């Protein structure tokens, strides 16, 4: 059973686990990023975790975070699943929770991350706009998607 938890008081172990999940997920799905890109984006993960209204996670039976999602207002700002946990329904569970409980309607996704684009389309999101660069001004096109 997949249980979604809210992270209210993030401790150092949680941050370390979140960064491990992020790196594992990015290395598995963001093959358009260089090693330099990954290293330069890492601090943004911690900033993003502090920024969002709601930070949710899924832990394994030992209490270690294996997936996390950040939601700000009605938009998914980040969703990452550890590579070894992909494909078992964790992402779907997090998205369903976000839609039903947090009234999420929007998500931005890297256009080059074809797996994520397909996943969000499968979950009912449609592209309504495209940006040539990401929020940091990097040349990674972003698809702005809205729940259909």
């Amino acid at each position: 059973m997949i249980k979604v938890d809210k992270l209210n008081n993030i401790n150092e172990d949680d941050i370390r686990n979140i960064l491990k999940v992020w790196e594992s997920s990015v290395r598995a799905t963001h093959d358009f990023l260089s090693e330099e890109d990954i290293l330069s984006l890492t601090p943004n993960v911690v900033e993003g975790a502090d920024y969002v209204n709601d930070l949710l996670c899924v832990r394994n039976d030992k209490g270690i975070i294996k997936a996390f999602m950040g939601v700000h207002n009605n938009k998914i700002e980040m969703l990452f699943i550890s590579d070894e946990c992909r494909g078992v329904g964790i992402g779907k569970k997090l998205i369903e929770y976000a839609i039903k409980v947090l009234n999420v309607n929007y998500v931005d996704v890297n256009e080059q991350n074809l797996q994520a684009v397909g996943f969000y389309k499968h979950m009912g999101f449609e592209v309504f706009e495209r940006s040539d660069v990401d929020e940091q001004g990097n040349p990674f096109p972003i698809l702005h998607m809205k729940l259909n």
Side-chain angles (χ1 to χ4, degrees):
M1 178 168 174
I2 300 169
K3 183 177 178 257
V4 176
D5 290 323
K6 270 195 172 186
L7 278 166
N8 295 319
N9 299 313
I10 303 170
N11 61 40
E12 285 189 34
D13 284 340
D14 290 338
I15 289 295
R16 273 193 297 278
N17 288 326
I18 283 170
L19 288 171
K20 283 181 185 176
V21 168
W22 177 82
E23 184 174 345
S24 171
S25 178
V26 164
R27 289 189 184 282
T29 61
H30 292 60
D31 57 2
F32 55 92
L33 293 178
S34 70
E35 189 66 25
E36 266 182 31
D37 293 330
I38 292 171
L39 293 174
S40 71
L41 291 171
T42 301
N44 296 340
V45 179
V46 177
E47 288 175 21
D50 286 339
Y51 165 77
V52 295
N53 297 118
D54 295 286
L55 188 60
L56 309 163
C57 74
V58 173
R59 299 177 187 267
N60 68 9
D61 56 357
K62 295 178 181 159
I64 298 170
I65 295 171
K66 291 296 176 178
F68 70 94
M69 177 174 62
V71 174
H72 194 75
N73 298 331
N74 61 348
K75 182 180 173 190
I76 296 169
E77 294 290 345
M78 54 182 137
L79 172 59
F80 295 95
I81 300 161
S82 186
D83 187 38
E84 78 269 9
C85 296
R86 291 175 50 230
V88 297
I90 293 172
K92 181 178 180 180
K93 184 79 167 182
L94 284 164
I95 295 288
E96 288 172 346
Y97 181 94
I99 292 168
K100 291 177 187 170
V101 178
L102 302 175
N103 299 310
V104 160
N105 291 310
Y106 298 95
V107 66
D108 289 347
V109 63
N110 288 100
E111 181 178 60
Q112 295 154 295
N113 185 349
L114 299 179
Q115 292 175 50
V117 172
F119 170 73
Y120 287 117
K121 285 182 177 178
H122 176 75
M123 295 302 297
F125 289 85
E126 291 182 353
V127 175
F128 70 90
E129 192 175 15
R130 180 185 182 275
S131 299
D132 290 333
V133 296
D134 67 12
E135 287 183 353
Q136 291 78 36
N138 297 313
F140 307 123
I142 299 295
L143 298 177
H144 307 283
M145 302 179 83
K146 181 178 182 177
L147 192 60
N148 185 5

